Amino acid sequence: MPNIFVHLEENCFSMKLIPSFGEISSKTKDAFKRFPITITWAIVGTLFALLITESDTFDNHFYGKVILTFILGISWLIATRFFEEQFDTDKEWLMIITIGFLGLFYWHLPSEGKDFETVYIIRFVLYFIAGHLLVFVAPFLLKWNRPAYFNYLKSVFIAIVRSLFFSLILYLGIVLALLAVKHLFNIDFDGKRFFQIFIICLGIVNTWIYLSDFPKKIHSETEINYTKALEVLVKYILIPLVILYLIILYAYSLKIVLNWSLPKGWVSYLVIALSLLGFIIQILINPIQKTINSRPIKRFYPWFYILLFPLISLLFIAIFRRINEYGITENRYFVLVLALWILAMTIYMLFSKRKKIK
């Protein structure tokens, strides 16, 4: 027994709960060498945002255009760098193309605030989402490896959680320190300082930590490490949620048949949410679905797609009912596009022999 406690004590003290200063410094330098343009972009954008908050010029239309462009650039520049790393030689022209795209985005925004219509915000949101989705696939657009892709997605998720967690801890620590100084020494601070600290933590610290956590040899990580926590998440949380949504939607479908009434418009959002949740589960279980000893995970395909198929018709009925009654809007257009994509993916998963998650 004493030997066991000695070993446990040694293991506890040998664990690196907090990285050393040397390790942090090394990771910081490596991240800048690997992503110099992205980190420089984040620093300049953060400093520009600090300038705006300091001068209280939020209503300046030029500043708004610049901030939107800086925000958009982070994910697009990260994705471009990941895409570049697929090649054996440097492809700086890809980064130039991305920066040119960001310049075009800035140029296409109206020069006057009164002309800034909702359509420009919608385009910004679409480009913003596209940039973040591109980060999830950029290293595998030309070279596909299923186990490596699964490990890459896990690395992305861990990097996001770590960067947000450390940034939040740093922000709260600095804010509490400032509040302590304010109340203990009666030194007053401008309220904007707290917002400026938030901008620094989100714009620079969060981005830098996020980029420093990524492995360089993405395609060489081919050994799947499917953790027990992930299996529990899928098996006992995500799949039961899918079953709950299916029960609700099939009960609602039965009500429609019995009452002989058309479905309400909001049901389309529930079907889309169910579909996206199912697709996420499919990505998570794809590498181990045939080998894992778990009945719910093994049976998820094809039963989810078989049960989803009738609900897609309910989705289209709800969409076209809203369009016929009130006309087509941007929101209904996006719902229709999502519905067509969900239908295509469901047909592909049910009838394609390859079923590539790519």
Side-chain angles (χ1 to χ4, degrees):
M1 283 292 288
N3 289 335
I4 294 176
F5 285 112
V6 168
H7 287 307
L8 285 173
E9 190 175 357
E10 288 176 353
N11 289 334
C12 288
F13 280 107
S14 64
M15 286 175 64
K16 286 182 129 183
L17 296 179
I18 301 175
S20 64
F21 178 78
E23 185 181 350
I24 294 173
S25 177
S26 176
K27 277 193 167 187
T28 301
K29 292 177 182 176
D30 290 342
F32 188 81
K33 289 179 182 178
R34 189 180 177 191
F35 303 94
I37 296 176
T38 306
I39 293 177
T40 303
W41 183 276
I43 293 172
V44 174
T46 301
L47 294 176
F48 190 83
L50 293 176
L51 174 65
I52 294 174
T53 56
E54 187 64 30
S55 57
D56 291 324
T57 51
F58 289 101
D59 56 345
N60 188 298
H61 189 61
F62 165 74
Y63 290 161
K65 290 171 61 176
V66 174
I67 286 296
L68 287 179
T69 306
F70 271 118
I71 293 173
L72 191 64
I74 298 294
S75 59
W76 278 94
L77 291 171
I78 294 173
T80 302
R81 180 59 183 149
F82 283 152
F83 183 67
E84 279 183 348
E85 291 181 342
Q86 294 182 93
F87 300 95
D88 297 328
T89 57
D90 290 336
K91 304 286 184 181
E92 290 87 356
W93 55 270
L94 291 171
M95 195 64 74
I96 294 173
I97 290 175
T98 301
I99 294 174
F101 158 73
L102 294 169
L104 286 174
F105 171 78
Y106 171 83
W107 177 77
H108 106 284
L109 294 174
S111 56
E112 297 293 335
K114 61 183 180 181
D115 299 325
F116 208 93
E117 301 173 356
T118 308
V119 64
Y120 294 103
I121 298 299
I122 293 175
R123 284 177 186 166
F124 167 77
V125 172
L126 288 175
Y127 290 139
F128 182 81
I129 293 173
H132 282 75
L133 291 178
L134 189 58
V135 171
F136 283 90
V137 298
F140 295 89
L141 289 175
L142 300 179
K143 300 177 182 179
W144 176 249
N145 184 298
R146 188 173 69 171
Y149 182 63
F150 174 79
N151 289 326
Y152 171 73
L153 289 181
K154 192 164 65 170
S155 297
V156 171
F157 177 76
I158 292 173
I160 291 172
V161 172
R162 275 172 57 93
S163 61
L164 289 175
F165 176 74
F166 285 121
S167 301
L168 179 62
I169 292 297
L170 179 63
Y171 172 71
L172 292 177
I174 296 174
V175 166
L176 289 175
L178 289 178
L179 289 174
V181 170
K182 177 181 179 180
H183 292 291
L184 293 176
F185 300 98
N186 295 321
I187 300 175
D188 197 17
F189 294 101
D190 193 326
K192 71 176 69 171
R193 298 290 174 257
F194 299 103
F195 183 55
Q196 289 174 333
I197 294 169
F198 175 78
I199 291 173
I200 294 172
C201 289
L202 184 64
I204 298 178
V205 178
N206 177 69
T207 304
W208 213 315
I209 294 174
Y210 175 75
L211 295 177
S212 66
D213 272 346
F214 271 99
K216 291 183 178 179
K217 298 179 180 179
I218 295 172
H219 288 272
S220 63
E221 301 289 334
T222 56
E223 184 178 346
I224 295 176
N225 181 20
Y226 203 86
T227 61
K228 193 68 178 177
L230 186 57
E231 182 183 344
V232 169
L233 172 67
V234 172
K235 190 175 178 180
Y236 296 107
I237 298 178
L238 297 183
I239 291 181
L241 277 176
V242 166
I243 294 172
L244 176 62
Y245 281 175
L246 285 170
I247 291 172
I248 293 172
L249 285 168
Y250 269 94
Y252 181 66
S253 301
L254 180 62
K255 177 187 174 184
I256 290 173
V257 173
L258 293 176
N259 295 338
W260 201 245
S261 61
L262 290 172
K264 295 181 179 179
W266 63 265
V267 75
S268 57
Y269 296 109
L270 190 56
V271 176
I272 290 173
L274 169 65
S275 306
L276 295 179
L277 178 59
F279 294 160
I280 290 171
I281 293 173
Q282 186 66 56
I283 292 171
L284 293 177
I285 67 176
N286 186 256
I288 47 86
Q289 190 170 8
K290 294 180 180 179
T291 57
I292 194 170
N293 185 22
S294 171
R295 190 181 180 90
I297 293 178
K298 279 188 173 181
R299 295 293 181 88
F300 185 80
Y301 171 85
W303 285 108
F304 169 73
Y305 300 96
I306 293 172
L307 293 172
L308 179 63
F309 210 84
L311 297 177
I312 294 176
S313 60
L314 184 68
L315 171 61
F316 277 101
I317 292 171
I319 293 171
F320 285 117
R321 180 197 174 188
R322 300 292 290 182
I323 291 175
N324 287 333
E325 288 181 354
Y326 305 106
I328 190 162
T329 61
E330 287 90 346
N331 289 344
R332 291 180 195 123
Y333 164 77
F334 291 129
V335 171
L336 179 59
V337 170
L338 276 172
L340 292 169
W341 177 70
I342 289 168
L343 175 62
M345 291 300 100
T346 305
I347 293 172
Y348 174 77
M349 291 301 296
L350 283 174
F351 300 107
S352 172
K353 292 181 180 179
R354 304 179 76 180
K355 295 179 178 58
K356 281 192 175 182
I357 217 70
K358 184 180 182 179

